[in-house]
């Protein structure tokens, strides 16, 4: 049986940690869809279209990976798209706590299982929120985001070198 896995998230913006999990997941599953949440009530730094484009540029070389966005309940996307498993990365205990809640809810609502991959240790302290905070104050985040994201952050914060 082929498994279509779904990696949902905010990805505002993706970091190298996300990218590592995308690539490792793409090797584990037949198909991987990365789904950016489109939350109309919560405005992020990047629009959902920008987030999708930043991800798509980084996974263009992976033939079994697609990128899209979704609104509403994640499990509706799961049932409508034949998703067999959810996949997420875990950086540590703080992530485990939140992700356990999500995993139980999603299994309750749609019977879908969640698979967690351990984050790369050297990226375990990297988050979209820290990247945004440091970049907004002019700090260097280039080691922790793909080059396209680094350029997009510089454009957003107007501190292009
Ligand atoms: O990148 P994040 O913040 O860990 O992503 C959280 C996300 C988008 C996966 C989660 O908030 C979500 O699934 N939102 C959609 C609404 C929903 O289905 N909520 C109930 C189950 S978590």
């Amino acid at each position: 049986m082929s498994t279509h896995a779904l990696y949902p998230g905010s990805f505002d913006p993706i970091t190298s940690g996300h990218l590592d999990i995308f690539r490792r997941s793409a090797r584990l599953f037949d198909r991987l869809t990365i789904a950016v949440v489109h939350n109309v009530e919560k405005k992020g730094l990047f629009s959902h279209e920008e987030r999708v484009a930043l991800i798509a540029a980084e996974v263009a070389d992976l033939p079994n990976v697609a990128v899209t966005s979704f609104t509403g309940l994640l499990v509706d996307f799961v049932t409508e798209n034949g998703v067999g498993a959810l996949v997420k990365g875990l950086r540590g205990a703080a992530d485990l706590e939140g992700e356990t809640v999500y995993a139980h809810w999603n299994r309750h609502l749609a019977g879908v299982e969640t698979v967690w991959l351990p984050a790369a240790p050297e990226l375990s302290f990297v988050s979209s929120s820290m990247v945004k905070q440091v970049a907004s104050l002019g700090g260097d985040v280039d080691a922790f985001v793909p080059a396209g994201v680094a350029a997009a952050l510089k454009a957003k914060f107007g501190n292009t070198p």
Side-chain angles (χ1 to χ4, degrees), residues 8-11 37 70 72-75 88 99 102 105-106 109:
S10 312
F11 307 122
V37 69
F70 74 101
L73 270 184
L74 178 65
V75 290
K88 296 278 282 200
E99 293 300 336
Y102 288 163
W105 271 104
N106 288 322
L109 292 168

Side-chain angles (χ1 to χ4, degrees), residues 50-147:
E50 288 173 321
R51 299 178 206 186
V52 167
L54 288 170
I55 298 169
E58 297 304 327
V59 297
D61 62 315
L62 301 173
N64 63 336
V65 177
V67 192
T68 189
S69 63
F70 74 101
T71 52
L73 270 184
L74 178 65
V75 290
D76 290 340
F77 187 97
V78 166
T79 49
E80 286 160 18
N81 292 278
V83 168
L86 299 173
V87 60
K88 296 278 282 200
L90 284 186
R91 288 164 299 190
D95 281 351
L96 178 63
E97 206 172 319
E99 293 300 336
T100 301
V101 173
Y102 288 163
H104 283 309
W105 271 104
N106 288 322
R107 193 155 70 90
H108 168 78
L109 292 168
V112 66
E113 295 287 0
T114 301
V115 175
W116 295 319
L117 299 187
E122 67 277 18
L123 297 172
S124 61
F125 59 95
V126 176
S127 64
S128 300
S129 51
M130 283 303 295
V131 159
K132 282 184 286 191
Q133 183 190 107
V134 172
S136 73
L137 298 169
D140 183 357
V141 298
D142 291 7
F144 305 121
V145 293

